[in-house]
Amino acid sequence: QFARHIKKSEGQKTPKVELQISIYGVKILDPKTKEVQHNCQLHRISFCADDKTDKRIFTFICKDSESNKHLCYVFDSEKCAEEITLTIGQAFDLAYRKFLESGGKDVETRKQIAGLQKRIQELETENAELKNKVQDLENQLRITQVHASPAGSVTPKSPSTDIFDMVPFSPISPQSSTPTRNGTQPPPVPSRSTEISK
């Protein structure tokens, strides 16, 4: 109640949620998207009560499956806290009857189903993250291709037709690769005759 008054004085609103109560547990959903925010299995709920002085407030305590901590969930309802608490109590009664009828097998099945549902949720989250990564990589690839195409369209330099490039240097070659002086080419060196008179 104190937290509610503080939030109201600060202009904050308590987020609205939707409850689904069944013999398997209490699901807390987003009222618009119907996304499950919390799934409190019935066998993990250890306490449930409404506030006798305020008909709007009810609460239950549930042991978290991951952290093994007891979490207290408090709700501000539209003056129907007692009815919601009684409904959760009825869910407990029905679940216990079903447990007696099935000889305890149903509890193990429910635990397995809950484990599989949790794994499915984890895989769906992982799948969504991977889809986002693939999308980011595709976007980066498109940007890289757009930037690379103008550079790729530049025509390659035509090969030089300079005589020095065309004639390979060899000791026998009449062309010399020595640098020129004052922009003029030095006179050609006479070739040595390989035939020397004997």
Side-chain angles (χ1 to χ4, degrees):
Q1 285 177 330
F2 182 68
R4 183 178 64 184
H5 288 307
I6 287 178
K7 279 191 175 182
K8 276 187 179 178
S9 66
E10 290 175 350
Q12 295 179 11
K13 287 185 177 179
T14 307
K16 290 190 176 184
V17 293
E18 184 178 300
L19 292 181
Q20 281 185 359
I21 302 165
S22 71
I23 58 168
Y24 301 108
V26 179
K27 284 184 180 178
I28 303 166
L29 308 157
D30 184 289
K32 291 178 182 176
T33 62
K34 304 297 179 188
E35 184 185 344
V36 178
Q37 295 175 346
H38 301 280
N39 186 11
C40 305
Q41 296 166 339
L42 210 63
H43 68 277
R44 292 186 174 274
I45 296 174
S46 57
F47 179 82
C48 179
D50 56 286
D51 190 335
K52 300 304 175 190
T53 61
D54 189 338
K55 292 187 175 182
R56 297 170 63 97
I57 293 175
F58 77 96
T59 182
F60 65 84
I61 295 172
C62 181
K63 191 175 185 181
D64 186 47
S65 58
E66 290 178 6
S67 64
N68 255 0
K69 291 181 180 177
H70 287 86
L71 303 175
C72 182
Y73 295 87
V74 182
F75 300 89
D76 182 357
S77 66
E78 293 295 324
K79 294 187 178 179
C80 57
E82 189 177 359
E83 287 86 349
I84 296 169
T85 307
L86 289 171
T87 306
I88 293 172
Q90 287 172 348
F92 269 101
D93 288 339
L94 288 169
Y96 184 64
R97 280 186 208 160
K98 196 168 183 182
F99 169 78
L100 292 175
E101 287 170 9
S102 67
K105 291 176 185 175
D106 188 50
V107 174
E108 285 303 315
T109 307
R110 281 209 317 265
K111 282 182 182 177
Q112 288 174 0
I113 289 168
L116 289 170
Q117 284 175 339
K118 185 181 170 187
R119 183 68 183 136
I120 287 166
Q121 201 168 6
E122 286 171 358
L123 289 170
E124 283 176 351
T125 306
E126 189 181 341
N127 192 26
E129 287 172 1
L130 289 171
K131 277 183 180 176
N132 289 338
K133 282 183 182 177
V134 167
Q135 188 65 45
D136 289 344
L137 288 170
E138 284 178 353
N139 291 340
Q140 287 176 6
L141 188 62
R142 281 194 202 110
I143 291 166
T144 308
Q145 285 176 348
V146 167
H147 287 314
S149 59
S153 64
V154 174
T155 54
K157 255 185 153 180
S158 59
S160 174
T161 55
D162 193 353
I163 192 163
F164 294 110
D165 292 336
M166 292 169 62
V167 180
F169 176 76
S170 67
I172 310 166
S173 173
Q175 302 297 331
S176 172
S177 62
T178 54
T180 60
R181 288 183 185 175
N182 298 332
T184 59
Q185 188 157 350
V189 179
S191 61
R192 287 177 137 184
S193 178
T194 51
E195 295 176 9
I196 300 169
S197 58
K198 293 181 183 178

